[in-house]
Amino acid sequence: MATEVTAIIQKDSDWWVGWVEEIPGANAQERTREELIISLKEAANDILDLNRSVAKEAAGKGFEEISLTL
């Protein structure tokens, strides 16, 4: 299931910088716009994977996972 998020990007001197609005800490800096978009996707996925792992570990045993549509 694909989830849409919003990235804010801008050219800053010789670099492209950006961040994902909905995912704190998902930010990147690259030389090209295309590389920035790839890095932002990777950063967002990495943070979401980490958050999933932390949540499951905190829940311990016997938890139930459900999908939510926002």
Side-chain angles (χ1 to χ4, degrees):
M1 172 175 62
T3 301
E4 279 193 25
V5 293
T6 307
I8 302 296
I9 65 172
Q10 66 184 34
K11 183 95 161 111
D12 184 12
S13 203
D14 292 336
W15 293 89
W16 279 88
V17 296
W19 54 95
V20 179
E21 286 182 359
E22 297 86 353
I23 305 174
N27 53 63
Q29 172 179 311
E30 296 291 350
R31 291 280 185 189
T32 69
R33 183 180 187 275
E34 294 76 20
E35 290 173 329
L36 176 65
I37 292 168
I38 291 167
S39 290
L40 286 172
K41 288 178 183 180
E42 290 173 352
N45 279 317
D46 288 348
I47 289 172
L48 291 174
D49 287 343
L50 177 62
N51 287 347
R52 282 184 196 98
S53 296
V54 169
K56 288 178 181 180
E57 185 176 317
K61 295 181 182 184
F63 65 87
E64 177 183 359
E65 290 185 77
I66 61 169
S67 293
L68 299 176
T69 302
L70 305 177

Coordinates of all heavy atoms in Angstrom, one line a residue:
M1 N 0.8 -1.2 0.0 CA 0.0 0.0 0.0 C 0.9 1.2 0.0 O 1.7 1.4 0.8 CB -0.9 0.0 1.2 CG -1.7 1.2 1.4 SD -2.9 1.2 2.8 CE -1.8 1.0 4.2
A2 N 0.7 2.1 -1.0 CA 1.4 3.3 -1.1 C 0.8 4.4 -0.2 O -0.4 4.6 -0.2 CB 1.5 3.8 -2.5
T3 N 1.6 5.2 0.4 CA 1.2 6.3 1.2 C 1.8 7.6 0.7 O 3.0 7.6 0.4 CB 1.6 6.2 2.7 OG1 1.1 4.9 3.2 CG2 1.2 7.3 3.5
E4 N 1.0 8.6 0.5 CA 1.5 9.9 0.0 C 1.9 10.8 1.2 O 1.1 10.9 2.1 CB 0.5 10.6 -0.9 CG 0.5 10.0 -2.3 CD -0.3 11.0 -3.2 OE1 -0.4 12.2 -3.0 OE2 -0.8 10.4 -4.2
V5 N 3.1 11.4 1.0 CA 3.5 12.4 2.0 C 4.0 13.6 1.2 O 4.1 13.5 -0.1 CB 4.6 11.9 2.9 CG1 4.1 10.8 3.8 CG2 5.8 11.4 2.1
T6 N 4.3 14.7 1.8 CA 4.6 15.9 1.2 C 6.1 16.3 1.5 O 6.5 16.3 2.6 CB 3.8 17.1 1.6 OG1 2.4 16.7 1.4 CG2 4.0 18.3 0.8
A7 N 6.9 16.5 0.4 CA 8.3 16.9 0.6 C 8.4 18.4 0.2 O 7.8 18.8 -0.7 CB 9.2 16.1 -0.3
I8 N 9.1 19.1 1.1 CA 9.5 20.5 0.8 C 10.9 20.4 0.3 O 11.8 19.9 1.0 CB 9.4 21.3 2.1 CG1 8.0 21.2 2.7 CG2 9.8 22.7 1.8 CD1 6.9 21.8 1.9
I9 N 11.2 20.9 -0.9 CA 12.5 20.9 -1.5 C 12.9 22.3 -2.0 O 12.0 23.1 -2.4 CB 12.7 19.9 -2.6 CG1 11.8 20.2 -3.8 CG2 12.3 18.5 -2.1 CD1 12.1 19.3 -5.0
Q10 N 14.2 22.6 -2.0 CA 14.6 23.9 -2.5 C 16.1 23.8 -2.9 O 16.8 23.1 -2.3 CB 14.3 25.0 -1.5 CG 15.1 25.0 -0.3 CD 14.7 26.1 0.7 OE1 13.6 26.5 0.7 NE2 15.7 26.6 1.5
K11 N 16.4 24.6 -3.8 CA 17.9 24.8 -4.2 C 18.5 25.8 -3.2 O 18.0 26.8 -3.0 CB 17.9 25.3 -5.6 CG 19.3 25.4 -6.2 CD 19.7 24.2 -7.0 CE 20.9 24.5 -7.9 NZ 22.0 23.8 -7.5
D12 N 19.6 25.4 -2.7 CA 20.3 26.2 -1.7 C 21.8 26.3 -2.2 O 22.6 25.3 -1.9 CB 20.2 25.7 -0.3 CG 20.8 26.6 0.7 OD1 21.2 27.8 0.4 OD2 21.0 26.2 1.9
S13 N 22.2 27.3 -2.9 CA 23.5 27.4 -3.5 C 23.8 26.2 -4.4 O 23.0 26.1 -5.4 CB 24.5 27.5 -2.3 OG 25.7 28.1 -2.8
D14 N 24.8 25.4 -4.2 CA 25.1 24.3 -5.0 C 24.3 23.0 -4.7 O 24.6 22.0 -5.3 CB 26.6 24.0 -5.0 CG 27.4 25.1 -5.7 OD1 26.8 25.8 -6.5 OD2 28.6 25.3 -5.3
W15 N 23.5 23.1 -3.6 CA 22.9 21.9 -3.1 C 21.4 22.0 -3.2 O 20.8 23.1 -3.2 CB 23.2 21.7 -1.6 CG 24.7 21.4 -1.4 CD1 25.7 22.3 -1.2 CD2 25.2 20.1 -1.4 NE1 26.9 21.6 -1.0 CE2 26.6 20.2 -1.1 CE3 24.7 18.8 -1.5 CZ2 27.5 19.2 -1.0 CZ3 25.6 17.7 -1.4 CH2 27.0 17.9 -1.2
W16 N 20.7 20.8 -3.3 CA 19.3 20.7 -3.1 C 19.0 20.2 -1.7 O 19.7 19.2 -1.3 CB 18.7 19.7 -4.2 CG 18.5 20.4 -5.5 CD1 19.4 20.5 -6.5 CD2 17.3 21.0 -6.0 NE1 18.9 21.1 -7.6 CE2 17.6 21.5 -7.3 CE3 16.0 21.3 -5.4 CZ2 16.6 22.1 -8.0 CZ3 15.1 21.9 -6.1 CH2 15.4 22.4 -7.4
V17 N 18.2 20.8 -1.0 CA 17.8 20.4 0.4 C 16.3 20.1 0.5 O 15.5 20.7 -0.2 CB 18.3 21.4 1.5 CG1 19.8 21.5 1.5 CG2 17.6 22.7 1.3
G18 N 15.9 19.2 1.4 CA 14.5 19.0 1.5 C 14.2 18.2 2.8 O 15.1 17.6 3.4
W19 N 12.9 18.1 3.1 CA 12.4 17.4 4.2 C 11.0 16.9 4.0 O 10.3 17.5 3.1 CB 12.5 18.2 5.5 CG 11.9 19.5 5.5 CD1 10.6 19.8 5.9 CD2 12.4 20.7 5.0 NE1 10.3 21.1 5.7 CE2 11.4 21.7 5.1 CE3 13.6 21.1 4.4 CZ2 11.6 23.0 4.7 CZ3 13.8 22.4 4.0 CH2 12.8 23.4 4.2
V20 N 10.6 15.9 4.7 CA 9.2 15.4 4.5 C 8.4 15.9 5.7 O 8.7 15.8 6.9 CB 9.2 13.8 4.6 CG1 7.8 13.3 4.5 CG2 10.1 13.3 3.4
E21 N 7.3 16.7 5.3 CA 6.5 17.4 6.3 C 6.0 16.4 7.4 O 6.0 16.8 8.6 CB 5.3 18.0 5.7 CG 5.6 19.2 4.9 CD 4.4 19.9 4.3 OE1 3.2 19.3 4.5 OE2 4.5 20.9 3.6
E22 N 5.5 15.3 7.0 CA 4.8 14.4 8.0 C 5.7 13.5 8.8 O 5.2 12.8 9.7 CB 3.8 13.5 7.2 CG 2.7 14.3 6.5 CD 3.1 14.8 5.1 OE1 4.3 14.6 4.7 OE2 2.2 15.3 4.4
I23 N 7.0 13.5 8.5 CA 7.9 12.5 9.1 C 9.1 13.3 9.7 O 10.1 13.5 9.0 CB 8.3 11.4 8.2 CG1 7.1 10.7 7.6 CG2 9.2 10.4 8.9 CD1 7.5 9.7 6.5
P24 N 9.0 13.7 11.0 CA 10.1 14.4 11.6 C 11.5 13.6 11.4 O 11.5 12.4 11.6 CB 9.8 14.5 13.1 CG 8.3 14.4 13.1 CD 7.9 13.4 11.9
G25 N 12.5 14.3 11.1 CA 13.8 13.7 10.9 C 14.1 13.2 9.5 O 15.2 12.8 9.2
A26 N 13.1 13.1 8.6 CA 13.3 12.7 7.2 C 13.7 13.9 6.4 O 12.8 14.7 5.9 CB 12.0 12.1 6.7
N27 N 15.0 14.1 6.3 CA 15.5 15.2 5.5 C 16.8 14.7 4.8 O 17.3 13.7 5.1 CB 15.8 16.4 6.4 CG 16.7 16.0 7.6 OD1 17.8 15.6 7.4 ND2 16.1 16.1 8.8
A28 N 17.1 15.5 3.8 CA 18.3 15.1 3.0 C 18.9 16.4 2.3 O 18.2 17.4 2.2 CB 17.9 14.1 2.0
Q29 N 20.1 16.2 1.8 CA 20.8 17.2 1.0 C 21.6 16.5 -0.1 O 22.3 15.5 0.2 CB 21.7 17.9 2.0 CG 22.7 18.9 1.3 CD 23.6 19.6 2.3 OE1 23.1 20.1 3.3 NE2 24.9 19.6 2.0
E30 N 21.4 16.9 -1.3 CA 22.0 16.3 -2.4 C 22.4 17.3 -3.5 O 21.9 18.4 -3.5 CB 21.1 15.2 -3.1 CG 20.8 14.0 -2.2 CD 21.9 13.1 -1.9 OE1 23.0 13.2 -2.5 OE2 21.8 12.2 -1.0
R31 N 23.3 16.9 -4.4 CA 23.7 17.8 -5.5 C 22.7 18.0 -6.6 O 22.7 19.1 -7.2 CB 25.0 17.3 -6.1 CG 26.2 17.3 -5.3 CD 26.8 18.7 -5.3 NE 28.0 18.7 -4.5 CZ 28.6 19.8 -4.2 NH1 28.2 21.0 -4.6 NH2 29.7 19.7 -3.5
T32 N 21.8 17.1 -6.8 CA 20.8 17.2 -7.8 C 19.4 17.0 -7.2 O 19.2 16.3 -6.2 CB 20.9 16.2 -9.0 OG1 20.7 14.9 -8.5 CG2 22.4 16.3 -9.6
R33 N 18.4 17.5 -7.9 CA 17.0 17.4 -7.5 C 16.6 15.9 -7.5 O 15.9 15.5 -6.5 CB 16.1 18.2 -8.4 CG 14.7 18.2 -8.1 CD 13.9 19.0 -9.1 NE 12.5 19.2 -8.7 CZ 11.5 18.4 -9.0 NH1 11.8 17.3 -9.7 NH2 10.3 18.6 -8.6
E34 N 17.0 15.2 -8.5 CA 16.6 13.8 -8.6 C 17.2 13.0 -7.5 O 16.6 12.1 -6.9 CB 17.1 13.2 -10.0 CG 16.4 13.9 -11.2 CD 16.8 15.3 -11.5 OE1 17.9 15.7 -11.1 OE2 16.0 16.0 -12.2
E35 N 18.5 13.2 -7.2 CA 19.2 12.5 -6.1 C 18.5 12.9 -4.7 O 18.3 12.0 -3.9 CB 20.6 12.9 -6.0 CG 21.5 12.3 -7.1 CD 22.9 12.8 -7.1 OE1 23.1 14.0 -6.7 OE2 23.8 12.1 -7.6
L36 N 18.1 14.1 -4.6 CA 17.4 14.5 -3.4 C 16.1 13.8 -3.2 O 15.8 13.3 -2.1 CB 17.1 16.0 -3.4 CG 16.3 16.6 -2.2 CD1 17.1 16.4 -0.9 CD2 15.9 18.0 -2.4
I37 N 15.3 13.6 -4.2 CA 14.0 12.9 -4.1 C 14.2 11.5 -3.7 O 13.5 10.9 -2.9 CB 13.2 13.1 -5.4 CG1 12.8 14.5 -5.6 CG2 12.0 12.1 -5.5 CD1 12.3 14.8 -7.0
I38 N 15.2 10.8 -4.3 CA 15.6 9.4 -3.9 C 16.0 9.4 -2.5 O 15.5 8.5 -1.7 CB 16.7 8.9 -4.8 CG1 16.2 8.7 -6.3 CG2 17.3 7.6 -4.3 CD1 17.3 8.5 -7.3
S39 N 16.8 10.3 -2.0 CA 17.3 10.3 -0.6 C 16.2 10.5 0.4 O 16.1 10.0 1.4 CB 18.4 11.3 -0.4 OG 19.6 10.9 -1.1
L40 N 15.2 11.4 0.0 CA 14.1 11.7 0.9 C 13.2 10.5 1.0 O 12.7 10.2 2.1 CB 13.3 12.9 0.4 CG 13.9 14.3 0.5 CD1 13.1 15.3 -0.2 CD2 14.1 14.6 2.0
K41 N 13.0 9.8 -0.1 CA 12.2 8.5 0.0 C 12.9 7.5 0.9 O 12.2 6.8 1.7 CB 12.0 7.9 -1.4 CG 11.0 8.7 -2.3 CD 10.9 8.1 -3.6 CE 10.0 8.9 -4.6 NZ 9.9 8.3 -5.9
E42 N 14.2 7.4 0.7 CA 14.9 6.4 1.6 C 14.9 6.8 3.0 O 14.7 6.0 3.9 CB 16.4 6.3 1.1 CG 16.5 5.6 -0.3 CD 17.9 5.7 -0.8 OE1 18.8 6.4 -0.3 OE2 18.2 5.0 -1.9
A43 N 15.1 8.1 3.3 CA 15.1 8.6 4.7 C 13.7 8.3 5.3 O 13.6 7.9 6.5 CB 15.4 10.1 4.7
A44 N 12.6 8.6 4.6 CA 11.3 8.4 5.1 C 11.0 7.0 5.4 O 10.5 6.6 6.5 CB 10.3 9.0 4.1
N45 N 11.4 6.1 4.5 CA 11.2 4.7 4.7 C 12.0 4.1 5.8 O 11.5 3.3 6.6 CB 11.5 3.9 3.4 CG 10.4 3.9 2.4 OD1 9.2 3.7 2.8 ND2 10.7 4.1 1.2
D46 N 13.3 4.6 6.0 CA 14.1 4.2 7.1 C 13.5 4.6 8.4 O 13.5 3.8 9.4 CB 15.5 4.8 7.0 CG 16.3 4.1 5.9 OD1 15.9 3.1 5.3 OD2 17.4 4.7 5.5
I47 N 13.0 5.8 8.5 CA 12.4 6.2 9.8 C 11.2 5.5 10.1 O 10.9 5.1 11.3 CB 12.2 7.8 9.8 CG1 13.5 8.5 9.8 CG2 11.3 8.2 10.9 CD1 13.5 10.0 9.6
L48 N 10.3 5.2 9.1 CA 9.1 4.5 9.3 C 9.4 3.0 9.8 O 8.7 2.5 10.7 CB 8.2 4.5 8.1 CG 7.6 5.8 7.7 CD1 6.9 5.7 6.4 CD2 6.7 6.3 8.8
D49 N 10.4 2.4 9.1 CA 10.8 1.1 9.5 C 11.3 1.0 11.0 O 10.9 0.1 11.8 CB 11.9 0.5 8.6 CG 11.4 0.1 7.2 OD1 10.2 0.0 7.1 OD2 12.2 0.0 6.3
L50 N 12.1 2.0 11.3 CA 12.6 2.1 12.7 C 11.4 2.3 13.7 O 11.4 1.6 14.7 CB 13.6 3.2 12.9 CG 14.1 3.5 14.3 CD1 14.9 2.3 14.8 CD2 15.0 4.7 14.3
N51 N 10.5 3.2 13.4 CA 9.3 3.4 14.2 C 8.5 2.2 14.4 O 8.0 1.9 15.5 CB 8.5 4.6 13.7 CG 9.2 5.9 13.9 OD1 10.1 6.1 14.6 ND2 8.6 6.9 13.2
R52 N 8.3 1.4 13.3 CA 7.6 0.2 13.4 C 8.3 -0.8 14.4 O 7.6 -1.4 15.2 CB 7.5 -0.5 12.0 CG 6.4 0.1 11.2 CD 6.3 -0.7 9.8 NE 5.6 0.1 8.9 CZ 6.2 0.9 7.9 NH1 7.5 0.9 7.8 NH2 5.5 1.6 7.1
S53 N 9.6 -0.9 14.3 CA 10.3 -1.8 15.1 C 10.2 -1.4 16.6 O 10.0 -2.3 17.5 CB 11.8 -1.9 14.7 OG 11.9 -2.4 13.4
V54 N 10.4 -0.1 16.9 CA 10.3 0.4 18.2 C 8.9 0.1 18.8 O 8.8 -0.3 20.0 CB 10.7 1.9 18.3 CG1 10.4 2.5 19.6 CG2 12.1 2.1 17.9
A55 N 7.9 0.4 18.0 CA 6.5 0.2 18.5 C 6.2 -1.3 18.8 O 5.6 -1.6 19.8 CB 5.5 0.7 17.4
K56 N 6.7 -2.2 17.9 CA 6.4 -3.6 18.2 C 7.2 -4.1 19.4 O 6.7 -4.9 20.2 CB 6.8 -4.4 17.0 CG 5.9 -4.3 15.8 CD 6.3 -5.0 14.6 CE 5.4 -4.9 13.4 NZ 5.8 -5.6 12.2
E57 N 8.4 -3.6 19.6 CA 9.2 -4.0 20.7 C 8.5 -3.5 22.0 O 8.4 -4.2 23.0 CB 10.6 -3.4 20.6 CG 11.5 -3.9 21.7 CD 12.9 -3.4 21.5 OE1 13.5 -3.4 20.4 OE2 13.5 -2.9 22.5
A58 N 8.0 -2.3 22.0 CA 7.4 -1.7 23.2 C 6.1 -2.4 23.5 O 5.7 -2.5 24.7 CB 7.1 -0.2 22.9
A59 N 5.4 -2.9 22.5 CA 4.1 -3.6 22.7 C 4.3 -5.0 23.4 O 3.4 -5.5 24.0 CB 3.4 -3.8 21.4
G60 N 5.4 -5.6 23.2 CA 5.7 -6.9 23.8 C 4.9 -8.0 23.0 O 4.7 -7.9 21.8
K61 N 4.4 -9.0 23.7 CA 3.7 -10.1 23.1 C 2.2 -9.8 23.1 O 1.7 -9.1 23.9 CB 4.0 -11.4 23.8 CG 5.4 -11.8 23.7 CD 5.7 -13.1 24.4 CE 7.2 -13.4 24.3 NZ 7.5 -14.7 24.9
G62 N 1.5 -10.5 22.2 CA 0.1 -10.5 22.2 C -0.6 -9.3 21.6 O -1.8 -9.0 21.8
F63 N 0.1 -8.5 20.8 CA -0.5 -7.3 20.2 C -1.1 -7.7 18.9 O -0.9 -8.7 18.3 CB 0.5 -6.2 20.0 CG 1.7 -6.5 19.0 CD1 1.5 -6.3 17.7 CD2 2.9 -7.0 19.5 CE1 2.5 -6.5 16.8 CE2 3.9 -7.3 18.6 CZ 3.7 -7.0 17.3
E64 N -2.0 -6.8 18.4 CA -2.7 -7.0 17.2 C -2.3 -5.8 16.3 O -2.3 -4.6 16.7 CB -4.2 -7.0 17.4 CG -5.0 -7.1 16.2 CD -6.5 -7.0 16.4 OE1 -6.9 -6.9 17.6 OE2 -7.3 -7.1 15.5
E65 N -2.1 -6.0 15.0 CA -1.8 -5.0 14.1 C -3.1 -4.8 13.2 O -3.6 -5.8 12.7 CB -0.6 -5.3 13.2 CG 0.7 -5.3 13.9 CD 1.9 -5.5 12.9 OE1 2.2 -4.6 12.2 OE2 2.3 -6.7 12.9
I66 N -3.5 -3.6 13.0 CA -4.6 -3.3 12.1 C -4.2 -2.2 11.1 O -3.3 -1.3 11.5 CB -5.9 -2.9 12.9 CG1 -5.6 -1.6 13.7 CG2 -6.3 -4.0 13.8 CD1 -6.9 -1.0 14.3
S67 N -4.8 -2.1 10.0 CA -4.5 -1.1 9.0 C -5.5 0.1 9.2 O -6.6 -0.1 9.5 CB -4.6 -1.6 7.6 OG -3.6 -2.5 7.3
L68 N -4.9 1.3 9.1 CA -5.8 2.5 9.2 C -5.7 3.2 7.9 O -4.6 3.4 7.4 CB -5.3 3.4 10.4 CG -5.3 2.8 11.8 CD1 -4.7 3.8 12.7 CD2 -6.7 2.5 12.2
T69 N -6.8 3.7 7.4 CA -6.8 4.5 6.2 C -7.0 5.9 6.7 O -8.0 6.2 7.4 CB -7.9 4.1 5.2 OG1 -7.7 2.7 4.9 CG2 -7.9 4.9 4.0
L70 N -6.1 6.8 6.3 CA -6.2 8.2 6.7 C -6.8 9.0 5.6 O -6.6 8.8 4.5 CB -4.9 8.8 7.2 CG -4.1 8.0 8.2 CD1 -2.8 8.6 8.5 CD2 -5.0 8.0 9.5

